């Protein structure tokens, strides 16, 4: 069985997205990871995972930037790999492409993660899912860092790529990622 975890924090079109997800993945268990208390995406996803019953765990962001049908691009690779992540394909401003490239280089150098950690679609075999402590956006980095020794695949997915860059989110993710790498308690800025 497939469990699909969908992070949601005030997503405008979440109901439409969930209907599309149900149509694309009939029979899958869909769990909305609602950050209603403002504790962070990582916290909400950890809570959702505690409810999941599937042998395979998929993460897909609820903002609609990646269509639910893209899960079908990743799922065939789960037979051969423990972790399958999407890599966004699409047009973006040069500034956005540069930030994405620098982020990938940073993640690869500091963490040894050779796949795109920040695209909002991933599939894991249930048995490899590690625990994580990070409550923020950087939870993906902690998960992939803990699994970096396992076979991983990166699969191109079509996505809407916003030209909007949220520097605050980039800064917080950078700080949290340093804490993960240094073994400090993520989730605080101390």
């Amino acid at each position: 069985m497939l469990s699909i975890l969908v992070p949601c924090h005030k997503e405008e079109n979440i109901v439409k997205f969930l209907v599309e997800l149900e149509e694309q993945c009939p029979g899958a268990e869909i769990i909305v990871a609602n950050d209603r208390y403002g504790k962070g995406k990582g916290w909400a996803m950890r809570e959702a995972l505690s409810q999941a019953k599937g042998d395979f765990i998929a993460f897909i962001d609820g903002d609609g930037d990646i269509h639910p049908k893209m899960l079908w691009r990743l799922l065939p690779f789960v037979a051969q790999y423990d972790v399958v992540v999407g890599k966004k394909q699409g047009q973006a401003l040069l500034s956005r492409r540069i930030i994405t490239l620098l982020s990938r280089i940073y993640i690869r150098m500091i963490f040894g993660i050779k796949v795109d950690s920040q695209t909002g679609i991933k599939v894991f075999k249930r048995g490899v899912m590690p625990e994580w402590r990070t409550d923020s956006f950087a939870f993906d980095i902690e998960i992939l860092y803990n699994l970096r020794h396992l076979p991983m695949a990166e699969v191109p997915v079509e996505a809407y790529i916003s030209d909007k860059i949220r520097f605050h989110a980039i800064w917080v993710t950078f700080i949290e990622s340093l804490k993960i790498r240094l073994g400090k308690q993520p989730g605080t800025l101390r």
Side-chain angles (χ1 to χ4, degrees), residues 41-162:
K41 185 177 180 180
W43 174 85
M45 292 296 279
R46 192 170 43 248
E47 292 295 308
L49 180 62
S50 72
Q51 301 169 35
K53 297 174 183 74
D55 298 321
F56 301 98
I57 307 295
F59 295 175
I60 184 167
D61 285 350
D63 58 11
D65 288 357
I66 300 171
H67 193 279
K69 69 183 176 186
M70 291 295 114
L71 280 168
W72 291 106
R73 292 244 178 112
L74 276 61
L75 288 170
F77 293 91
V78 177
Q80 186 177 356
Y81 296 95
D82 293 323
V83 179
V84 183
V85 301
K87 179 181 180 185
K88 285 185 181 179
Q89 302 294 301
Q91 299 297 320
L93 290 177
L94 179 61
S95 59
R96 179 69 182 242
R97 290 193 314 249
I98 290 170
I99 288 173
T100 299
L101 176 64
L102 292 175
S103 170
R104 288 190 68 147
I105 290 169
Y106 165 75
I107 297 295
R108 185 175 216 150
M109 287 177 51
I110 301 299
F111 295 95
I113 299 171
K114 298 175 183 162
V115 295
D116 187 351
S117 65
Q118 296 303 295
T119 295
I121 185 169
K122 299 169 182 65
V123 180
F124 305 87
K125 289 181 180 171
R126 175 60 177 250
V128 305
M129 283 301 300
E131 293 184 12
W132 68 88
R133 300 182 308 173
T134 305
D135 290 340
S136 70
F137 293 108
F139 83 101
D140 299 82
I141 297 170
E142 183 177 352
I143 290 171
L144 294 173
Y145 178 59
N146 289 333
L147 300 177
R148 68 191 180 282
H149 62 285
L150 296 177
M152 292 187 193
E154 185 176 68
V155 177
V157 294
E158 297 164 15
Y160 167 76
I161 302 174
S162 169

